[in-house]
Amino acid sequence: MHICRTIPEMRSITTKMRQEGKLGFVPTMGALHDGHVALIDQSVKENSNTVVSIFVNPTQFGDSNDLDNYPRNEATDFAILQKAGVKAVFVPGAGEIYSNNDETIVETTRLANSFHGITRPGHFRGVTTVVARLFNIVQADHAYFGKKDYQQLAIIRKMVDDLHFPIKIEAVETVRDIDGLALSSRNTLLSKPQRVAASILNIALEEAGLQLKSGETIETAIAAITSIIKPEPLAELKAADVVNANTFQLATGKPIDTICIMISVQFGDVLLIDQKELTFE
Ligand code: PAF
């Protein structure tokens, strides 16, 4: 596996890879887990070569503590990538991606500032700005994103569409722990009691899903989420919304087409998000 720390190194390798067939790309912030491996496995299956980036992107963190505390483990990550069949990893320093006199940002103006974007101002602008730069560096045919970060996925699709990036975005199902908690690098930051309590996200989503499937309204399903999460002293429900999956507009009343229930819950310093996608006749 090639380890590339500079843009010229990465570009010279991906130029060769593109001559060998389709190139898949999995952007990550490291601290890799089975959720990332699911993205990589799909890319390895669908492309001749797969490149993964590991870059803890400073522009998508609201507070510097969160950035400093983000888990980092390069050696373990490299071993996981090697085992998964990744051909090259891009591990740039912040100075390789950003410079002090940068002026260009990329933002999906409505989507970035709604739903999870309200509790994390500037977060999605940071995501699109870095992903646009990574796409331009790697120039892959396909890029893989998890459905857990449902709004991020919608935002990246919109950016690719609006800016005519020649890349296809592939969505991969959420991988869950045995108690239903969606895998996330942030889970390692939870204390033991917080980790036990965190299974409540999936419990609340499952209950809301059951209610919607049995004919209840979106408002009733959201009330069910609140009544499950509120009594848990370690959890603070930050947001619970249902959106139409195609338009990403707020959905109300009886659900139609494909909708997504999205929640974010704070445990101490750690914000966890999760989602459940459902289709109705
Ligand atoms: O989902 C993530 O890990 C990050 O937001 C991404 C897409 C790698 C951009 O930094």
Side-chain angles (χ1 to χ4, degrees), residues 27-30 36 53 55-57 60 70 123 126-127 130-131 134 145 149 152 156:
T28 81
M29 298 206 297
H36 296 110
S53 62
F55 179 59
V56 183
N57 172 35
Q60 71 187 75
Y70 200 82
H123 167 72
V127 170
V130 79
V131 170
L134 292 170
F145 292 88
D149 297 311
Q152 169 172 285
I156 286 165

Side-chain angles (χ1 to χ4, degrees), residues 103-210:
E103 293 191 27
T104 308
I105 54 167
V106 180
E107 182 169 40
T108 55
T109 49
R110 176 183 72 90
L111 273 177
N113 297 299
S114 57
F115 305 109
H116 291 324
I118 298 169
T119 38
R120 303 175 79 187
H123 167 72
F124 289 119
R125 182 175 56 225
V127 170
T128 40
T129 298
V130 79
V131 170
R133 290 173 188 220
L134 292 170
F135 281 179
N136 279 333
I137 294 164
V138 175
Q139 297 185 21
D141 299 288
H142 300 124
Y144 295 79
F145 292 88
K147 281 195 181 177
K148 181 182 85 69
D149 297 311
Y150 203 80
Q151 187 169 355
Q152 169 172 285
L153 174 64
I155 284 173
I156 286 165
R157 282 193 195 287
K158 186 79 185 108
M159 174 190 82
V160 162
D161 207 34
D162 287 355
L163 299 182
H164 308 289
F165 273 95
I167 191 165
K168 192 157 176 276
I169 303 302
E170 309 288 354
V172 179
E173 289 304 328
T174 304
V175 179
R176 295 182 182 278
D177 225 327
I178 197 126
D179 64 347
L181 178 65
L183 296 192
S184 162
S185 307
R186 288 175 192 273
N187 295 354
T188 60
L189 301 173
L190 297 169
S191 68
K192 268 203 175 133
Q194 286 170 337
R195 171 62 193 82
V196 172
S199 63
I200 207 165
L201 275 85
N202 189 50
I203 293 170
L205 285 170
E206 286 294 313
E207 177 57 28
L210 283 176

Side-chain angles (χ1 to χ4, degrees), residues 65-77:
N65 265 349
D66 195 21
L67 173 63
D68 294 343
N69 292 337
Y70 200 82
R72 292 165 172 86
N73 199 338
E74 202 175 90
T76 313
D77 286 349

